[in-house]
PDB file of all heavy atoms in Angstrom:
ATOM      1  N   GLU A  64       8.129 -10.129 -26.331  1.00  0.00           N
ATOM      2  CA  GLU A  64       8.098  -8.699 -26.606  1.00  0.00           C
ATOM      3  C   GLU A  64       9.427  -8.204 -27.173  1.00  0.00           C
ATOM      4  O   GLU A  64      10.475  -8.828 -27.017  1.00  0.00           O
ATOM      5  CB  GLU A  64       7.768  -7.924 -25.328  1.00  0.00           C
ATOM      6  CG  GLU A  64       6.382  -8.214 -24.779  1.00  0.00           C
ATOM      7  CD  GLU A  64       5.281  -7.739 -25.684  1.00  0.00           C
ATOM      8  OE1 GLU A  64       5.485  -6.759 -26.424  1.00  0.00           O
ATOM      9  OE2 GLU A  64       4.208  -8.369 -25.678  1.00  0.00           O
ATOM     10  N   GLN A  65       9.366  -7.017 -27.827  1.00  0.00           N
ATOM     11  CA  GLN A  65      10.561  -6.391 -28.357  1.00  0.00           C
ATOM     12  C   GLN A  65      11.292  -5.622 -27.259  1.00  0.00           C
ATOM     13  O   GLN A  65      10.793  -5.464 -26.151  1.00  0.00           O
ATOM     14  CB  GLN A  65      10.172  -5.432 -29.495  1.00  0.00           C
ATOM     15  CG  GLN A  65       9.473  -6.104 -30.662  1.00  0.00           C
ATOM     16  CD  GLN A  65      10.345  -7.147 -31.326  1.00  0.00           C
ATOM     17  OE1 GLN A  65      11.512  -6.906 -31.598  1.00  0.00           O
ATOM     18  NE2 GLN A  65       9.789  -8.326 -31.587  1.00  0.00           N
ATOM     19  N   GLU A  66      12.491  -5.140 -27.605  1.00  0.00           N
ATOM     20  CA  GLU A  66      13.262  -4.347 -26.663  1.00  0.00           C
ATOM     21  C   GLU A  66      12.577  -2.998 -26.418  1.00  0.00           C
ATOM     22  O   GLU A  66      11.853  -2.491 -27.262  1.00  0.00           O
ATOM     23  CB  GLU A  66      14.673  -4.106 -27.201  1.00  0.00           C
ATOM     24  CG  GLU A  66      15.511  -5.374 -27.338  1.00  0.00           C
ATOM     25  CD  GLU A  66      16.905  -5.080 -27.851  1.00  0.00           C
ATOM     26  OE1 GLU A  66      17.212  -3.893 -28.052  1.00  0.00           O
ATOM     27  OE2 GLU A  66      17.664  -6.042 -28.039  1.00  0.00           O
ATOM     28  N   ILE A  67      12.841  -2.419 -25.238  1.00  0.00           N
ATOM     29  CA  ILE A  67      12.364  -1.073 -24.918  1.00  0.00           C
ATOM     30  C   ILE A  67      13.471  -0.102 -25.293  1.00  0.00           C
ATOM     31  O   ILE A  67      14.583  -0.178 -24.756  1.00  0.00           O
ATOM     32  CB  ILE A  67      12.017  -0.947 -23.428  1.00  0.00           C
ATOM     33  CG1 ILE A  67      10.866  -1.894 -23.074  1.00  0.00           C
ATOM     34  CG2 ILE A  67      11.647   0.486 -23.080  1.00  0.00           C
ATOM     35  CD1 ILE A  67      10.509  -1.900 -21.604  1.00  0.00           C
ATOM     36  N   PRO A  68      13.228   0.824 -26.230  1.00  0.00           N
ATOM     37  CA  PRO A  68      14.304   1.692 -26.708  1.00  0.00           C
ATOM     38  C   PRO A  68      14.860   2.641 -25.650  1.00  0.00           C
ATOM     39  O   PRO A  68      16.047   2.945 -25.658  1.00  0.00           O
ATOM     40  CB  PRO A  68      13.643   2.462 -27.861  1.00  0.00           C
ATOM     41  CG  PRO A  68      12.177   2.368 -27.599  1.00  0.00           C
ATOM     42  CD  PRO A  68      11.959   1.056 -26.934  1.00  0.00           C
ATOM     43  N   ASP A  69      14.005   3.129 -24.742  1.00  0.00           N
ATOM     44  CA  ASP A  69      14.459   4.070 -23.722  1.00  0.00           C
ATOM     45  C   ASP A  69      13.924   3.646 -22.357  1.00  0.00           C
ATOM     46  O   ASP A  69      12.939   4.193 -21.866  1.00  0.00           O
ATOM     47  CB  ASP A  69      13.988   5.492 -24.063  1.00  0.00           C
ATOM     48  CG  ASP A  69      14.517   6.525 -23.073  1.00  0.00           C
ATOM     49  OD1 ASP A  69      15.441   6.187 -22.309  1.00  0.00           O
ATOM     50  OD2 ASP A  69      14.008   7.666 -23.072  1.00  0.00           O
ATOM     51  N   PRO A  70      14.549   2.660 -21.717  1.00  0.00           N
ATOM     52  CA  PRO A  70      14.021   2.140 -20.445  1.00  0.00           C
ATOM     53  C   PRO A  70      14.034   3.161 -19.319  1.00  0.00           C
ATOM     54  O   PRO A  70      13.316   2.988 -18.337  1.00  0.00           O
ATOM     55  CB  PRO A  70      14.956   0.963 -20.140  1.00  0.00           C
ATOM     56  CG  PRO A  70      16.202   1.243 -20.903  1.00  0.00           C
ATOM     57  CD  PRO A  70      15.761   1.951 -22.147  1.00  0.00           C
ATOM     58  N   ALA A  71      14.818   4.221 -19.443  1.00  0.00           N
ATOM     59  CA  ALA A  71      14.859   5.246 -18.406  1.00  0.00           C
ATOM     60  C   ALA A  71      13.571   6.063 -18.351  1.00  0.00           C
ATOM     61  O   ALA A  71      13.315   6.755 -17.361  1.00  0.00           O
ATOM     62  CB  ALA A  71      16.054   6.177 -18.619  1.00  0.00           C
ATOM     63  N   SER A  72      12.740   5.954 -19.398  1.00  0.00           N
ATOM     64  CA  SER A  72      11.541   6.792 -19.487  1.00  0.00           C
ATOM     65  C   SER A  72      10.263   6.046 -19.141  1.00  0.00           C
ATOM     66  O   SER A  72       9.170   6.597 -19.276  1.00  0.00           O
ATOM     67  CB  SER A  72      11.405   7.365 -20.901  1.00  0.00           C
ATOM     68  OG  SER A  72      11.167   6.324 -21.850  1.00  0.00           O
ATOM     69  N   VAL A  73      10.379   4.788 -18.684  1.00  0.00           N
ATOM     70  CA  VAL A  73       9.186   3.993 -18.397  1.00  0.00           C
ATOM     71  C   VAL A  73       9.353   3.230 -17.087  1.00  0.00           C
ATOM     72  O   VAL A  73      10.456   3.088 -16.555  1.00  0.00           O
ATOM     73  CB  VAL A  73       8.897   2.978 -19.531  1.00  0.00           C
ATOM     74  CG1 VAL A  73       8.671   3.698 -20.852  1.00  0.00           C
ATOM     75  CG2 VAL A  73      10.028   1.958 -19.644  1.00  0.00           C
ATOM     76  N   ALA A  74       8.229   2.760 -16.571  1.00  0.00           N
ATOM     77  CA  ALA A  74       8.224   1.774 -15.484  1.00  0.00           C
ATOM     78  C   ALA A  74       7.998   0.421 -16.125  1.00  0.00           C
ATOM     79  O   ALA A  74       7.007   0.222 -16.837  1.00  0.00           O
ATOM     80  CB  ALA A  74       7.132   2.090 -14.473  1.00  0.00           C
ATOM     81  N   VAL A  75       8.903  -0.503 -15.918  1.00  0.00           N
ATOM     82  CA  VAL A  75       8.821  -1.816 -16.556  1.00  0.00           C
ATOM     83  C   VAL A  75       8.005  -2.759 -15.686  1.00  0.00           C
ATOM     84  O   VAL A  75       8.247  -2.881 -14.482  1.00  0.00           O
ATOM     85  CB  VAL A  75      10.223  -2.404 -16.793  1.00  0.00           C
ATOM     86  CG1 VAL A  75      10.110  -3.786 -17.433  1.00  0.00           C
ATOM     87  CG2 VAL A  75      11.041  -1.475 -17.677  1.00  0.00           C
ATOM     88  N   ARG A  76       7.037  -3.420 -16.303  1.00  0.00           N
ATOM     89  CA  ARG A  76       6.202  -4.376 -15.588  1.00  0.00           C
ATOM     90  C   ARG A  76       6.472  -5.773 -16.100  1.00  0.00           C
ATOM     91  O   ARG A  76       6.547  -6.001 -17.315  1.00  0.00           O
ATOM     92  CB  ARG A  76       4.721  -4.042 -15.778  1.00  0.00           C
ATOM     93  CG  ARG A  76       3.775  -4.935 -14.962  1.00  0.00           C
ATOM     94  CD  ARG A  76       2.318  -4.537 -15.221  1.00  0.00           C
ATOM     95  NE  ARG A  76       1.408  -5.134 -14.254  1.00  0.00           N
ATOM     96  CZ  ARG A  76       0.837  -6.334 -14.365  1.00  0.00           C
ATOM     97  NH1 ARG A  76       1.109  -7.106 -15.424  1.00  0.00           N
ATOM     98  NH2 ARG A  76       0.013  -6.775 -13.441  1.00  0.00           N
ATOM     99  N   ILE A  77       6.630  -6.718 -15.177  1.00  0.00           N
ATOM    100  CA  ILE A  77       6.698  -8.125 -15.543  1.00  0.00           C
ATOM    101  C   ILE A  77       5.685  -8.898 -14.706  1.00  0.00           C
ATOM    102  O   ILE A  77       5.371  -8.512 -13.576  1.00  0.00           O
ATOM    103  CB  ILE A  77       8.102  -8.733 -15.361  1.00  0.00           C
ATOM    104  CG1 ILE A  77       8.537  -8.688 -13.892  1.00  0.00           C
ATOM    105  CG2 ILE A  77       9.110  -8.047 -16.261  1.00  0.00           C
ATOM    106  CD1 ILE A  77       9.781  -9.502 -13.598  1.00  0.00           C
ATOM    107  N   SER A  78       5.183  -9.963 -15.271  1.00  0.00           N
ATOM    108  CA  SER A  78       4.248 -10.823 -14.553  1.00  0.00           C
ATOM    109  C   SER A  78       4.228 -12.174 -15.230  1.00  0.00           C
ATOM    110  O   SER A  78       4.744 -12.343 -16.337  1.00  0.00           O
ATOM    111  CB  SER A  78       2.837 -10.218 -14.531  1.00  0.00           C
ATOM    112  OG  SER A  78       2.312 -10.132 -15.843  1.00  0.00           O
ATOM    113  N   SER A  79       3.625 -13.122 -14.563  1.00  0.00           N
ATOM    114  CA  SER A  79       3.464 -14.441 -15.155  1.00  0.00           C
ATOM    115  C   SER A  79       2.446 -14.371 -16.284  1.00  0.00           C
ATOM    116  O   SER A  79       1.424 -13.693 -16.179  1.00  0.00           O
ATOM    117  CB  SER A  79       2.995 -15.436 -14.091  1.00  0.00           C
ATOM    118  OG  SER A  79       2.537 -16.619 -14.695  1.00  0.00           O
ATOM    119  N   GLY A  80       2.741 -15.089 -17.347  1.00  0.00           N
ATOM    120  CA  GLY A  80       1.775 -15.206 -18.432  1.00  0.00           C
ATOM    121  C   GLY A  80       0.850 -16.387 -18.225  1.00  0.00           C
ATOM    122  O   GLY A  80       0.249 -16.881 -19.173  1.00  0.00           O
ATOM    123  N   TRP A  81       0.767 -16.840 -16.950  1.00  0.00           N
ATOM    124  CA  TRP A  81      -0.049 -17.969 -16.561  1.00  0.00           C
ATOM    125  C   TRP A  81       0.323 -19.207 -17.383  1.00  0.00           C
ATOM    126  O   TRP A  81       1.376 -19.787 -17.185  1.00  0.00           O
ATOM    127  CB  TRP A  81      -1.536 -17.625 -16.647  1.00  0.00           C
ATOM    128  CG  TRP A  81      -1.837 -16.427 -15.795  1.00  0.00           C
ATOM    129  CD1 TRP A  81      -2.036 -15.144 -16.208  1.00  0.00           C
ATOM    130  CD2 TRP A  81      -1.913 -16.385 -14.360  1.00  0.00           C
ATOM    131  NE1 TRP A  81      -2.221 -14.301 -15.133  1.00  0.00           N
ATOM    132  CE2 TRP A  81      -2.163 -15.029 -13.992  1.00  0.00           C
ATOM    133  CE3 TRP A  81      -1.792 -17.340 -13.350  1.00  0.00           C
ATOM    134  CZ2 TRP A  81      -2.298 -14.634 -12.668  1.00  0.00           C
ATOM    135  CZ3 TRP A  81      -1.931 -16.935 -12.029  1.00  0.00           C
ATOM    136  CH2 TRP A  81      -2.178 -15.598 -11.709  1.00  0.00           C
ATOM    137  N   ASP A  82      -0.463 -19.626 -18.346  1.00  0.00           N
ATOM    138  CA  ASP A  82      -0.154 -20.856 -19.082  1.00  0.00           C
ATOM    139  C   ASP A  82       0.959 -20.660 -20.113  1.00  0.00           C
ATOM    140  O   ASP A  82       1.546 -21.640 -20.592  1.00  0.00           O
ATOM    141  CB  ASP A  82      -1.406 -21.367 -19.803  1.00  0.00           C
ATOM    142  CG  ASP A  82      -2.482 -21.821 -18.825  1.00  0.00           C
ATOM    143  OD1 ASP A  82      -2.129 -22.198 -17.694  1.00  0.00           O
ATOM    144  OD2 ASP A  82      -3.662 -21.791 -19.198  1.00  0.00           O
ATOM    145  N   ASP A  83       1.270 -19.414 -20.473  1.00  0.00           N
ATOM    146  CA  ASP A  83       2.233 -19.153 -21.541  1.00  0.00           C
ATOM    147  C   ASP A  83       3.681 -19.108 -21.039  1.00  0.00           C
ATOM    148  O   ASP A  83       4.590 -19.610 -21.693  1.00  0.00           O
ATOM    149  CB  ASP A  83       1.896 -17.836 -22.238  1.00  0.00           C
ATOM    150  CG  ASP A  83       0.525 -17.877 -22.883  1.00  0.00           C
ATOM    151  OD1 ASP A  83       0.165 -18.937 -23.429  1.00  0.00           O
ATOM    152  OD2 ASP A  83      -0.187 -16.856 -22.830  1.00  0.00           O
ATOM    153  N   TYR A  84       3.912 -18.481 -19.901  1.00  0.00           N
ATOM    154  CA  TYR A  84       5.262 -18.373 -19.352  1.00  0.00           C
ATOM    155  C   TYR A  84       5.161 -18.011 -17.877  1.00  0.00           C
ATOM    156  O   TYR A  84       4.134 -17.522 -17.403  1.00  0.00           O
ATOM    157  CB  TYR A  84       6.086 -17.326 -20.104  1.00  0.00           C
ATOM    158  CG  TYR A  84       5.454 -15.949 -20.170  1.00  0.00           C
ATOM    159  CD1 TYR A  84       5.645 -15.014 -19.161  1.00  0.00           C
ATOM    160  CD2 TYR A  84       4.632 -15.596 -21.243  1.00  0.00           C
ATOM    161  CE1 TYR A  84       5.052 -13.765 -19.219  1.00  0.00           C
ATOM    162  CE2 TYR A  84       4.030 -14.357 -21.306  1.00  0.00           C
ATOM    163  CZ  TYR A  84       4.255 -13.438 -20.298  1.00  0.00           C
ATOM    164  OH  TYR A  84       3.662 -12.203 -20.344  1.00  0.00           O
ATOM    165  N   ASP A  85       6.248 -18.281 -17.138  1.00  0.00           N
ATOM    166  CA  ASP A  85       6.229 -17.987 -15.714  1.00  0.00           C
ATOM    167  C   ASP A  85       7.006 -16.703 -15.427  1.00  0.00           C
ATOM    168  O   ASP A  85       7.618 -16.109 -16.328  1.00  0.00           O
ATOM    169  CB  ASP A  85       6.745 -19.163 -14.888  1.00  0.00           C
ATOM    170  CG  ASP A  85       8.188 -19.541 -15.216  1.00  0.00           C
ATOM    171  OD1 ASP A  85       8.969 -18.655 -15.628  1.00  0.00           O
ATOM    172  OD2 ASP A  85       8.536 -20.715 -15.051  1.00  0.00           O
ATOM    173  N   ILE A  86       6.995 -16.285 -14.172  1.00  0.00           N
ATOM    174  CA  ILE A  86       7.601 -15.014 -13.804  1.00  0.00           C
ATOM    175  C   ILE A  86       9.109 -15.029 -14.032  1.00  0.00           C
ATOM    176  O   ILE A  86       9.708 -14.007 -14.397  1.00  0.00           O
ATOM    177  CB  ILE A  86       7.271 -14.660 -12.332  1.00  0.00           C
ATOM    178  CG1 ILE A  86       7.636 -13.200 -12.012  1.00  0.00           C
ATOM    179  CG2 ILE A  86       7.942 -15.610 -11.370  1.00  0.00           C
ATOM    180  CD1 ILE A  86       6.754 -12.178 -12.641  1.00  0.00           C
ATOM    181  N   GLU A  87       9.743 -16.181 -13.863  1.00  0.00           N
ATOM    182  CA  GLU A  87      11.190 -16.250 -14.077  1.00  0.00           C
ATOM    183  C   GLU A  87      11.531 -16.072 -15.550  1.00  0.00           C
ATOM    184  O   GLU A  87      12.532 -15.423 -15.886  1.00  0.00           O
ATOM    185  CB  GLU A  87      11.740 -17.568 -13.549  1.00  0.00           C
ATOM    186  CG  GLU A  87      13.246 -17.586 -13.444  1.00  0.00           C
ATOM    187  CD  GLU A  87      13.760 -18.592 -12.437  1.00  0.00           C
ATOM    188  OE1 GLU A  87      12.942 -19.245 -11.766  1.00  0.00           O
ATOM    189  OE2 GLU A  87      14.982 -18.700 -12.320  1.00  0.00           O
ATOM    190  N   GLU A  88      10.702 -16.617 -16.448  1.00  0.00           N
ATOM    191  CA  GLU A  88      10.917 -16.405 -17.881  1.00  0.00           C
ATOM    192  C   GLU A  88      10.740 -14.936 -18.230  1.00  0.00           C
ATOM    193  O   GLU A  88      11.495 -14.383 -19.053  1.00  0.00           O
ATOM    194  CB  GLU A  88       9.955 -17.266 -18.685  1.00  0.00           C
ATOM    195  CG  GLU A  88      10.241 -18.755 -18.636  1.00  0.00           C
ATOM    196  CD  GLU A  88       9.198 -19.549 -19.393  1.00  0.00           C
ATOM    197  OE1 GLU A  88       8.085 -19.735 -18.869  1.00  0.00           O
ATOM    198  OE2 GLU A  88       9.505 -19.984 -20.523  1.00  0.00           O
ATOM    199  N   ALA A  89       9.749 -14.279 -17.624  1.00  0.00           N
ATOM    200  CA  ALA A  89       9.546 -12.852 -17.867  1.00  0.00           C
ATOM    201  C   ALA A  89      10.734 -12.046 -17.344  1.00  0.00           C
ATOM    202  O   ALA A  89      11.182 -11.083 -17.983  1.00  0.00           O
ATOM    203  CB  ALA A  89       8.251 -12.391 -17.202  1.00  0.00           C
ATOM    204  N   PHE A  90      11.273 -12.460 -16.187  1.00  0.00           N
ATOM    205  CA  PHE A  90      12.428 -11.773 -15.622  1.00  0.00           C
ATOM    206  C   PHE A  90      13.658 -11.969 -16.514  1.00  0.00           C
ATOM    207  O   PHE A  90      14.428 -11.022 -16.746  1.00  0.00           O
ATOM    208  CB  PHE A  90      12.703 -12.291 -14.210  1.00  0.00           C
ATOM    209  CG  PHE A  90      13.748 -11.511 -13.473  1.00  0.00           C
ATOM    210  CD1 PHE A  90      13.454 -10.272 -12.918  1.00  0.00           C
ATOM    211  CD2 PHE A  90      15.037 -12.017 -13.334  1.00  0.00           C
ATOM    212  CE1 PHE A  90      14.425  -9.554 -12.238  1.00  0.00           C
ATOM    213  CE2 PHE A  90      16.006 -11.301 -12.653  1.00  0.00           C
ATOM    214  CZ  PHE A  90      15.703 -10.062 -12.105  1.00  0.00           C
TER     215      PHE A  90
END
Side-chain angles (χ1 to χ4, degrees):
E64 296 294 331
Q65 300 299 314
E66 295 181 2
I67 297 177
D69 184 14
S72 66
V73 300
V75 179
R76 185 180 193 272
I77 62 169
S78 64
S79 166
W81 303 103
D82 294 334
D83 299 322
Y84 55 87
D85 61 29
I86 192 71
E87 193 156 357
E88 290 177 283
F90 188 77

